[in-house]
Amino acid sequence: MSAHDVGGNTSLKTSLCTRLGIDLPIIQAPMAGGWTTPALVAAVCNAGGLGMLAAARLSLEQLRDQIDAVRRLTSRPFGVNFLLAPPDAAPTDVSAIQRALDVGRSKLGLMPGSTALQLPPSQTAAQFDLVCETRVPIVGFAMGDPGPWAERAKHGGAFVMAMATTVDDALRLQASGVDAIVAQGSEAGGHRSSLDLPSDAEAPLVGLLALVPQMVDAVQVPVIAAGGIMDGRGVLAALVLGAQAAQLGTRFLLATESGTFDAYRQRLIEAAEIDTVVTRSLTGRAARALRNDVVRTVESAGASVLGWPYQALAAEDVYRAAIANNDAAWAPLLAGQGLRLARKASSAAEIMASLKEELALQLEALNRPA
Ligand SMILES: Cc1cc2nc3c(=O)[nH]c(=O)nc-3n(C[C@H](O)[C@H](O)[C@H](O)COP(=O)(O)O)c2cc1C
């Protein structure tokens, strides 16, 4: 890390920043679900950070439109991220879970849930072709080892990153040739980015303070810290631990450009550090989310949660109706633990400006003689 004061302006441009072509060591996490809009991604890029689109749950056409939209809004580098976890075996009986979710359906005015679940064909391979063909400069992966995909993206000139929750998984990603590894601490919102972990096995939950330095010591590629980082103090702490950038998700859910629906945003603004839980009840894989009626109802139903992504598929009509009705009780509200650190919505440019200012203030405080 090189830190110096330029007329009160602090530069924390790490060598990873130089390789990514960004000015600040700040990455806006890709967040599937419609939250990381092209407007958000481009605004973060234009403010000197790295914005990332999330490909998961988009059609090929939607991803193409989003990439085009980002390119209209910024000429800076940006990324696209893929979730790699393969589907679990199809469940044989979904009726008990559907009966539990019917509680939400009756509140939302929906018909009882279908017991015949049909998983749509995966879009990931076609989306990945698109990203390679259109030369998206940064390609990210989570919940799996990209293996040959990393090689192909790199061959096309992309910078490749992937997310890990343990040192062993980080070593595997390094062996697959990724250019950087996101260390996902247990504080992080969203799915636990484990490689090959059966979705009903206990997901490792190592806190960021312990994970980052151990990963930094074990791998040769740059490490990016993710999980609970909401302000300049967190970004600086990540750099002190040896990370070369910080990846922030929950903080950017509050950006006005994010697609976050109002009731979700309001819960994020009001929630405290104890209000999230790591649960399989939303999608079938461990994810950190705010506790709400879906989580409570499914967890207490006494029915086995379906595998990934069948649990999400079973609840799809409930989630869609809840979001359309601005109902935070029955939608998945993925979120990290740093919740008290952001209490209002502001533009992505304002978030980036305050992160930069806080970083400068923290550095100044550290340098001040006792
Ligand atoms: C709503 C939400 C959706 C997410 N979706 C993705 C995703 O599609 N791909 C991915 O790599 N990470 C995803 N993540 C995890 C982030 O990459 C990152 O690990 C996490 O946001 C960091 O913790 P924080 O939210 O406390 O900042 C998501 C996180 C949230 C909160």
Side-chain angles (χ1 to χ4, degrees):
M1 181 199 339
S2 76
H4 53 271
D5 277 349
V6 190
N9 240 338
T10 305
S11 163
L12 283 168
K13 204 163 168 170
T14 62
S15 55
L16 176 66
C17 293
T18 307
R19 284 178 71 189
L20 291 171
I22 58 176
D23 304 327
L24 289 167
I26 295 168
I27 299 174
Q28 163 255 305
M31 291 181 281
W35 321 137
T36 41
T37 60
L40 172 62
V41 170
V44 171
C45 296
N46 287 333
L50 175 66
M52 301 274 297
L53 289 171
R57 297 170 51 196
L58 294 183
S59 68
L60 183 61
E61 279 321 306
Q62 285 170 326
L63 180 61
R64 190 192 306 276
D65 289 348
Q66 292 205 359
I67 291 171
D68 290 348
V70 171
R71 285 196 156 123
R72 277 195 301 276
L73 295 168
T74 186
S75 54
R76 291 184 172 247
F78 68 100
V80 172
N81 166 274
F82 297 93
L83 297 184
L84 294 177
D88 288 323
T92 48
D93 183 7
V94 305
S95 52
I97 277 296
Q98 288 297 38
R99 296 303 72 84
L101 288 166
D102 283 347
V103 177
R105 291 190 177 95
S106 73
K107 298 220 159 102
L108 292 159
L110 300 172
M111 302 289 283
S114 164
T115 47
L117 296 184
Q118 191 66 42
L119 198 61
S122 167
Q123 300 288 310
T124 314
Q127 289 176 331
F128 181 68
D129 286 347
L130 171 73
V131 161
C132 293
E133 280 156 21
T134 57
R135 303 217 166 245
V136 171
I138 291 119
V139 181
F141 298 95
M143 294 160 72
D145 179 353
W149 293 28
E151 209 173 297
R152 186 168 150 215
K154 280 175 66 169
H155 191 70
F159 184 95
V160 176
M161 53 176 78
M163 191 153 70
T165 63
T166 64
V167 171
D168 281 351
D169 280 359
L171 288 167
R172 258 187 73 186
L173 293 175
Q174 174 173 262
S176 289
V178 306
D179 296 304
I181 297 168
V182 182
Q184 189 190 39
S186 58
E187 304 89 333
H191 287 96
R192 305 297 306 145
S193 184
S194 314
L195 316 185
D196 290 349
L197 189 78
S199 56
D200 56 354
E202 202 179 311
L205 287 171
V206 183
L208 199 65
L209 195 66
L211 184 62
V212 170
Q214 295 186 77
M215 209 180 270
V216 166
D217 286 351
V219 299
Q220 276 79 52
V221 294
V223 169
I224 297 155
I229 302 176
M230 302 288 277
D231 61 16
R233 291 172 294 186
V235 177
L236 188 59
L239 298 178
V240 171
L241 293 173
Q244 293 209 20
Q247 177 163 310
L248 287 67
T250 303
R251 184 76 181 90
F252 284 107
L253 287 176
L254 286 173
T256 44
E257 295 90 341
S258 153
T260 325
F261 61 99
D262 287 347
Y264 185 4
R265 205 182 292 250
Q266 201 49 37
R267 275 225 54 197
L268 292 168
I269 287 172
E270 288 164 6
E273 76 285 6
I274 55 169
D275 291 340
T276 67
V277 63
V278 175
T279 179
R280 292 181 55 240
S281 62
L282 294 167
T283 64
R285 267 183 86 102
R288 184 175 291 286
L290 287 165
R291 257 188 228 94
N292 65 358
D293 286 353
V294 199
V295 173
R296 275 188 289 264
T297 306
V298 173
E299 285 193 343
S300 63
S304 303
V305 171
L306 309 181
W308 159 268
Y310 290 96
Q311 183 64 35
L313 187 63
E316 202 174 13
D317 59 326
V318 177
Y319 297 167
R320 197 172 298 136
I323 292 168
N325 287 318
N326 194 32
D327 178 346
W330 289 92
L333 307 178
L334 303 184
Q337 290 181 316
L339 289 155
R340 287 184 200 260
L341 299 171
R343 283 304 190 212
K344 63 176 177 33
S346 29
S347 71
E350 284 165 345
I351 293 174
M352 290 296 291
S354 56
L355 288 169
K356 192 174 170 182
E357 194 186 317
E358 288 154 12
L359 264 169
L361 284 174
Q362 288 305 312
L363 261 188
E364 208 182 290
L366 284 176
N367 287 332
R368 205 175 295 134

